[in-house]
Amino acid sequence: MTAAAEKTDILKIAREQVLERGVGLSQEQLVQVLTLEDDRLEELLGLAHEVRMRWCGPEVEVEGIVSLKTGGCPEDCHFCSQSGRFPTPVRSAWLDIPGLVKAARQTKDTGATEFCIVAAVRGPDKRLLSQVRDGIKAIREDGNDIQIACSLGMLTQEQVDELVDMGCHRYNHNLETARSHFPNVVTTHSWDERWETLQMVRAAGMEVCSGGIIGMGESIEQRAEFAVQLAELEPDEVPMNFLIPNPGTPYENYPIVEGAEALRTVAAFRLAMPRTMLRFAGGRELTLGDLGAEQGMLGGINAIIVGNYLTNLGRPASQDLEMLADLKMPIKALNETL
Ligand code: SF4
């Protein structure tokens, strides 16, 4: 590389700006990262890993997830097998309280610190909220002190307050994609409605968890736009999913994001958000295979979901935990996060 080229080299700039100063990359800078040649991927992942170690440390947060209410959702998110509007094989089902308590105990036993209760709904109704309240109470009565997160769709202020009262410490609500691309993905509600819920969650003192799905027909510019919008939200955690083209959904024939592209995107999101917890969520095995999980952990990721990802099977928890041990990445302990 010539001296002039080195001056404008995006990885060199990112090293000084993100690694040294902790300032995330701009949208224009992220486009440059997302279009880097494959032969610079290793260098990019190395930098993303250094950024993660410098600004987040070596710990990895492990989370378990359970579906309290599956399928039959009235919304039309085009990627989602739980929408009742598409002919997917997912059927509507509820998990009972003993099932929830058992899932929470199993999650705690893996060493996870976070247990997320998820429901496929536009927003919670009275029945769902009272089920969540009873569920949290039963988990505590079981002697389980795991931190509880919820993902129940869009909320009113009253519902936000109710969740705080129940002891929900983190709320997940994904922005899913860039604001400019959202109307192509969902037509039954807006990106701004999702944003409003997240603002209320933050103001009420719960931790904010919000991410999305890569590979839904967005352009490279929109991927960069999305990363910058997430950075602006300043979430505590960003779950990154890669599209699983679920049968019956409008996206069933979309191509799977290729491994190198997925890793480049993970690294770019790390360079946009040096301090945020970046979590590997759904679609990981499909795009990256087993080895890719390891590459991601060395390329900016510092949190994982163990076990099942709602309706798509992930690999067994033990495999992920072994991988973390091999990589000498300690699991974040519960008492550190309280
Ligand atoms: S609101 Fe959630 S569960 Fe419902 S269709 Fe959209 S992503 Fe799926």
Side-chain angles (χ1 to χ4, degrees):
M1 202 181 287
T2 64
E6 212 174 285
K7 254 198 173 155
T8 53
D9 178 53
I10 188 60
L11 293 187
K12 190 143 193 295
I13 292 170
R15 180 165 287 280
E16 191 280 322
Q17 179 179 325
V18 190
L19 182 63
E20 300 305 330
R21 291 191 284 124
V23 177
L25 294 185
S26 69
Q27 192 169 333
E28 293 71 31
Q29 290 174 321
L30 286 168
V31 170
Q32 289 182 54
V33 170
L34 289 166
T35 51
L36 273 176
E37 299 293 329
D38 277 358
D39 63 5
R40 301 204 65 197
L41 181 60
E42 213 169 300
E43 200 186 333
L44 168 64
L45 294 177
L47 176 61
H49 182 59
E50 276 186 76
V51 168
R52 169 260 168 128
M53 295 300 269
R54 167 86 59 96
W55 296 100
C56 302
E59 284 100 11
V60 176
E61 196 196 73
V62 177
E63 176 182 77
I65 187 164
V66 72
S67 181
L68 180 59
K69 189 229 160 214
T70 307
C73 179
E75 302 304 288
D76 76 343
C77 311
H78 291 16
F79 55 85
C80 184
S81 59
Q82 305 208 56
S83 168
R85 293 173 183 251
F86 313 133
T88 73
V90 177
R91 292 285 148 262
S92 194
W94 282 78
L95 184 67
D96 59 12
I97 301 283
L100 197 67
V101 170
K102 191 171 161 212
R105 199 185 311 141
Q106 282 171 346
T107 301
K108 176 78 197 285
D109 289 346
T110 65
T113 52
E114 197 82 23
F115 179 65
C116 188
I117 302 171
V118 178
V121 289
R122 176 184 167 88
D125 57 13
K126 275 202 167 13
R127 176 186 174 203
L128 178 61
L129 276 182
S130 89
Q131 188 84 346
V132 172
R133 184 180 283 279
D134 293 348
I136 295 178
K137 193 165 164 267
I139 290 167
R140 294 298 178 233
E141 281 167 4
D142 189 45
N144 189 342
D145 61 352
I146 196 162
Q147 295 183 128
I148 294 184
C150 289
S151 181
L152 314 172
M154 290 177 284
L155 302 173
T156 63
Q157 184 62 53
E158 210 178 29
Q159 292 167 335
V160 168
D161 297 341
E162 219 178 318
L163 284 168
V164 172
D165 183 57
M166 289 178 206
C168 169
H169 114 285
R170 182 183 294 170
Y171 196 75
N172 162 264
H173 194 45
N174 290 338
L175 287 168
E176 305 299 9
T177 190
R179 188 164 186 254
S180 68
H181 188 51
F182 194 87
N184 302 318
V185 179
V186 184
T187 67
T188 46
H189 59 269
S190 70
W191 192 91
D192 290 343
E193 286 177 272
R194 288 187 173 233
W195 180 270
E196 276 163 33
T197 288
L198 292 163
Q199 296 305 332
M200 283 191 280
V201 163
R202 148 90 31 79
M206 281 186 277
E207 284 190 9
V208 172
C209 168
S210 185
I213 304 177
I214 305 299
M216 299 196 292
E218 73 282 359
S219 65
I220 292 292
E221 284 73 20
Q222 284 169 323
R223 255 175 225 180
E225 177 195 335
F226 183 38
V228 166
Q229 285 162 343
L230 283 173
E232 194 190 325
L233 176 71
E234 292 184 29
D236 298 279
E237 179 196 339
V238 170
M240 290 189 76
N241 299 272
F242 296 94
L243 181 73
I244 297 172
N246 286 307
T249 64
Y251 291 169
E252 66 179 343
N253 294 319
Y254 271 38
I256 288 165
V257 178
E258 278 175 23
E261 201 181 332
L263 290 170
R264 205 169 16 244
T265 310
V266 165
F269 275 55
R270 169 55 70 208
L271 296 181
M273 293 173 275
R275 295 173 186 79
T276 304
M277 211 185 306
L278 264 194
R279 186 181 301 280
F280 247 148
R284 178 183 97 187
E285 291 85 356
L286 215 54
T287 51
L288 299 173
D290 275 357
L291 257 190
E294 208 166 302
Q295 280 177 294
M297 296 309 301
L298 294 170
I301 289 286
N302 65 334
I304 54 169
I305 291 179
V306 286
N308 298 351
Y309 309 133
L310 303 177
T311 54
N312 294 95
L313 286 180
R315 56 185 203 162
S318 56
Q319 239 174 301
D320 277 332
L321 300 174
E322 272 167 31
M323 169 187 76
L324 296 181
D326 288 348
L327 293 173
K328 304 205 171 17
M329 291 184 184
I331 295 176
K332 188 172 168 185
L334 188 61
N335 55 11
E336 285 175 38
T337 53
L338 285 175

